[in-house]
Amino acid sequence: MSVLIVGSTALDSIKTPKTENPRLLGGSASHAAVAASFFGPVQLVGVVGNDFPKRYLELYRKHRIDLEGLQILPGKTFHWSGEYEANMNNRRTLLTELGVFETFTPKLPAAQRKTPFVLLANIAPALQHHVLDQMQRPKFVAADTMDLWLNIALSDLLRLIKRLDLFVLNDSEAQQLTKADTVFGALKQIHRLGPKYVIIKQGSHGSILSGPRGLFLCPAYPLPRVVDPTGAGDSFVGGLMGYLASTKGSIDQNIRRAMVHGSVVASFCCEGFGLQRTTRSTRREINHRVKELESLTRF
Amino acid sequence: MSVLIVGSTALDSIKTPKTENPRLLGGSASHAAVAASFFGPVQLVGVVGNDFPKRYLELYRKHRIDLEGLQILPGKTFHWSGEYEANMNNRRTLLTELGVFETFTPKLPAAQRKTPFVLLANIAPALQHHVLDQMQRPKFVAADTMDLWLNIALSDLLRLIKRLDLFVLNDSEAQQLTKADTVFGALKQIHRLGPKYVIIKQGSHGSILSGPRGLFLCPAYPLPRVVDPTGAGDSFVGGLMGYLASTKGSIDQNIRRAMVHGSVVASFCCEGFGLQRTTRSTRREINHRVKELESLTRF
């Protein structure tokens, strides 16, 4: 089955102490869509300006991503610029130019409204609602978010969480949302907001699922060197949804392995700037790392 | 087989925003010895003053810990006092009174010098050396440490690391020691200092082993509420060594499960002040949580 993904489609300029990488292909939907594409068909919903490099459209196409829902409008593509410290853990935003995103209203092609798996990747909750409003009885709806929306669009976000099967957020966002002392306390509280499944991402420490079958502690693939973690969370949730859509059987049966596949795609993401390493990886490489993770966690 | 454990034997006064807990039984050797005692015989090497409460000697005895190597000297028992913030992650030391530890020279009873498993729990590296010098061909030697010794006794510590089979430290200590960007980079560098096995502890995120069979990602048992994490690291390494000493077969075959058992004992430690919860736990409870961890990590 296929996955419809809405989110930001952006140009990212990423500075580290050693390098500058201007105008890489970025945005939550780009990372998530490429990650999901390793497992099956993907439909991308987003907007770019007429300055969007042709080679990036070609990159989407190379991954067989359906671009019917990608609007190309006069104006500038969303541009984000950030700087990482040497340890790659702390980053600060240098610049955010919304460009054509400022007035973006996603409008889904009729053919896409029946897509069974929907991923509302990180973007304003109002836009996530707007996409979900157009869907016809999706089988499984997941959303990711970021601290910005907790700060400036909390009521939209809370209303969205009610509509989800799976809500994904990171540990500091979970703490901000619930004020809980531990992630396990936070998971309990977030379930009460609506979703059957909740995942808390913990960066290089992996992620934790809470669902009807209890908890799952999902490992991160061990990397001796991180080049650029931008988009790793988006790759995780994209890979997860892509894998899930590709499987038979129940969500409950498949969601653990889906998370591990997402975790592995995120590890490739961290090994290059932007999508440079992810786009060079293969299903075979992904399967190999999934097997490795199996043996790294068995006791 | 039995485990000889040297380390601090202390009275801990622990403040949290809600409670004060004066003069609890604490110290690295106390936590490690009680943790190890669930799996087999333990010999404790340390020193206390004549103010040391009788009920704490009884607690050691209840766990069948051999106290022949515990000196009781005129003077005050080592006293540490610390305060935790509400989230239980940040703590600051309010007071350290060395007492009888100031002039402590461990002297092992003849019968203990052939103990096959040796745990040099956190204490000054000079004392760790001093104990190791008295041992006769131990089968497996492990040591834990803390940031203090990296700051004030680095050359002693580096000389100690060379003599170990297993070196255990936490992530921030590993970063301080190696300046590596990732734990996996740090593990590589620490192997070059000598030990065949290196474990980096990551608190509630679990721990990572690096050894001849590669890496193992050991989970932490998920706790909805942490009462007091003091001694959790000592409980982890104590449980690990106790389990390892109780098994047949090679270290390589058993060390993963040993870590998981240590991790579970550490989870009990966190659920009460000082040793209050650990000492009430049973081997049956430990086995139950080990099974749970197995099912929480399978995919």
Side-chain angles (χ1 to χ4, degrees):
Chain A
M1 288 195 268
S2 72
V3 187
L4 180 131
I5 298 176
V6 65
S8 60
T9 38
L11 299 173
D12 284 354
S13 295
I14 295 167
K15 253 185 154 171
T16 73
K18 286 182 197 157
T19 61
E20 286 198 40
N21 303 271
R23 297 169 73 78
L24 299 160
L25 177 56
S28 62
S30 301
H31 281 282
V34 170
S37 75
F38 291 103
F39 308 100
V42 177
Q43 291 142 11
L44 178 65
V45 176
V47 64
V48 295
N50 50 13
D51 62 343
F52 193 68
K54 280 237 163 59
R55 66 179 187 283
Y56 291 159
L57 291 174
E58 278 152 27
L59 189 150
Y60 287 142
R61 286 196 195 101
K62 181 193 136 195
H63 285 274
R64 298 174 313 284
I65 295 166
D66 178 345
L67 300 178
E68 210 190 324
L70 180 70
Q71 301 176 30
I72 303 178
L73 298 182
K76 281 191 161 184
T77 302
F78 177 33
H79 183 205
W80 176 82
S81 166
E83 182 168 15
Y84 282 90
E85 288 178 18
N87 66 7
M88 289 292 146
N89 286 325
N90 304 320
R91 81 169 177 205
R92 62 195 187 95
T93 292
L94 300 173
L95 168 149
T96 308
E97 292 172 321
L98 285 178
V100 290
F101 250 102
E102 209 148 358
T103 55
F104 174 51
T105 308
K107 192 166 157 35
L108 302 196
Q112 297 189 352
R113 298 184 181 201
K114 290 185 175 167
T115 311
F117 286 78
V118 180
L119 171 55
L120 309 167
N122 173 35
I123 196 175
L127 294 179
Q128 293 175 313
H129 277 290
H130 195 75
V131 167
L132 199 47
D133 290 342
Q134 297 172 64
M135 298 303 299
Q136 289 165 18
R137 303 175 57 83
K139 179 179 154 70
F140 192 80
V141 180
D144 193 1
T145 194
M146 76 183 287
D147 51 357
L148 177 66
W149 313 121
L150 291 166
N151 294 329
I152 69 168
L154 183 59
S155 70
D156 281 357
L157 181 62
L158 289 171
R159 213 162 38 82
L160 181 81
I161 296 174
K162 275 201 187 80
R163 305 177 69 186
L164 304 174
D165 298 294
L166 164 63
F167 183 46
V168 181
L169 72 177
N170 73 27
D171 38 13
S172 66
E173 291 152 5
Q175 212 283 324
Q176 186 181 341
L177 181 62
T178 64
K179 318 285 180 244
D181 289 336
T182 65
V183 284
F184 307 102
L187 285 166
K188 246 186 208 169
Q189 287 191 47
I190 298 169
H191 275 303
R192 285 194 214 115
L193 300 175
K196 193 171 169 185
Y197 301 91
V198 181
I199 291 174
I200 294 182
K201 297 176 287 182
Q202 304 185 297
S204 62
H205 298 300
S207 57
I208 301 166
L209 165 75
S210 173
R213 294 199 183 171
L215 299 174
F216 170 55
L217 309 177
C218 177
Y221 184 84
L223 292 176
R225 191 165 154 259
V226 169
V227 173
D228 171 20
T230 314
D234 308 309
S235 302
F236 167 73
V237 72
L240 185 167
M241 288 293 280
Y243 181 87
L244 211 50
S246 77
T247 54
K248 284 175 184 146
S250 72
I251 299 291
D252 260 340
Q253 276 165 356
N254 298 316
I255 193 164
R256 288 182 170 210
R257 287 192 75 80
M259 285 173 74
V260 176
H261 282 78
S263 187
V264 163
V265 182
S267 75
F268 287 116
C269 175
C270 292
E271 290 184 298
F273 282 99
L275 277 154
Q276 286 169 355
R277 176 67 182 94
T278 314
T279 191
R280 281 192 294 107
S281 61
T282 62
R283 181 66 195 265
R284 197 192 164 101
E285 277 184 308
I286 293 168
N287 291 349
H288 183 73
R289 287 197 175 179
V290 168
K291 276 218 175 101
E292 275 187 275
L293 274 178
E294 229 163 337
S295 77
L296 289 172
T297 53
R298 279 285 164 90
F299 59 87
Chain B
M1 286 193 267
S2 72
V3 187
L4 181 131
I5 298 177
V6 65
S8 59
T9 38
L11 299 172
D12 284 353
S13 295
I14 295 166
K15 252 186 156 172
T16 72
K18 286 181 196 158
T19 62
E20 287 198 41
N21 304 272
R23 296 168 74 79
L24 299 161
L25 177 55
S28 63
S30 301
H31 280 282
V34 170
S37 75
F38 292 103
F39 308 100
V42 178
Q43 291 142 10
L44 178 65
V45 176
V47 64
V48 296
N50 50 13
D51 62 342
F52 193 68
K54 280 238 163 58
R55 67 179 185 284
Y56 292 159
L57 290 173
E58 279 152 28
L59 189 149
Y60 287 143
R61 286 195 195 103
K62 182 194 134 192
H63 285 275
R64 299 176 312 282
I65 295 167
D66 178 344
L67 300 179
E68 210 190 323
L70 181 70
Q71 301 175 30
I72 303 179
L73 298 182
K76 282 190 161 185
T77 303
F78 178 34
H79 182 204
W80 175 82
S81 165
E83 182 168 15
Y84 282 90
E85 289 178 18
N87 66 7
M88 289 292 145
N89 286 326
N90 303 320
R91 81 171 177 203
R92 62 193 186 97
T93 292
L94 299 173
L95 168 150
T96 307
E97 293 172 322
L98 285 178
V100 291
F101 250 103
E102 211 149 355
T103 55
F104 174 52
T105 309
K107 190 163 159 35
L108 301 196
Q112 297 189 353
R113 298 183 182 202
K114 290 186 175 166
T115 311
F117 285 79
V118 180
L119 171 55
L120 310 167
N122 173 35
I123 197 175
L127 294 178
Q128 293 175 314
H129 276 291
H130 196 73
V131 167
L132 199 47
D133 290 342
Q134 297 172 64
M135 299 303 299
Q136 288 165 19
R137 304 176 55 85
K139 179 179 152 72
F140 191 79
V141 180
D144 194 359
T145 195
M146 75 183 287
D147 52 357
L148 177 66
W149 313 122
L150 291 166
N151 293 329
I152 68 167
L154 183 60
S155 70
D156 281 356
L157 181 62
L158 289 172
R159 213 162 39 83
L160 181 80
I161 296 173
K162 274 202 188 81
R163 305 177 69 186
L164 304 174
D165 298 294
L166 164 64
F167 183 46
V168 181
L169 71 177
N170 73 28
D171 38 13
S172 66
E173 291 152 6
Q175 211 284 323
Q176 186 181 338
L177 181 62
T178 64
K179 317 287 180 241
D181 289 336
T182 66
V183 285
F184 307 102
L187 285 166
K188 244 185 210 168
Q189 287 192 45
I190 297 170
H191 276 303
R192 284 193 215 115
L193 300 175
K196 193 170 168 186
Y197 300 91
V198 182
I199 291 174
I200 295 182
K201 296 176 289 183
Q202 304 184 296
S204 62
H205 297 301
S207 57
I208 300 166
L209 165 74
S210 173
R213 294 200 183 171
L215 299 174
F216 171 56
L217 310 177
C218 176
Y221 184 84
L223 291 176
R225 190 164 153 260
V226 170
V227 174
D228 172 20
T230 313
D234 308 309
S235 303
F236 167 73
V237 72
L240 185 167
M241 288 292 280
Y243 181 88
L244 211 51
S246 78
T247 54
K248 284 176 184 148
S250 72
I251 299 290
D252 260 340
Q253 274 164 358
N254 298 316
I255 194 164
R256 288 182 169 209
R257 287 192 76 80
M259 285 174 74
V260 176
H261 281 78
S263 187
V264 163
V265 182
S267 76
F268 287 116
C269 175
C270 291
E271 289 184 298
F273 283 99
L275 277 154
Q276 286 170 354
R277 177 67 182 94
T278 313
T279 190
R280 281 193 293 106
S281 62
T282 62
R283 181 67 196 266
R284 197 193 164 101
E285 278 184 308
I286 293 167
N287 291 350
H288 183 74
R289 286 197 177 179
V290 168
K291 276 219 175 99
E292 276 187 274
L293 274 179
E294 228 163 338
S295 78
L296 289 171
T297 54
R298 281 285 164 91
F299 58 88

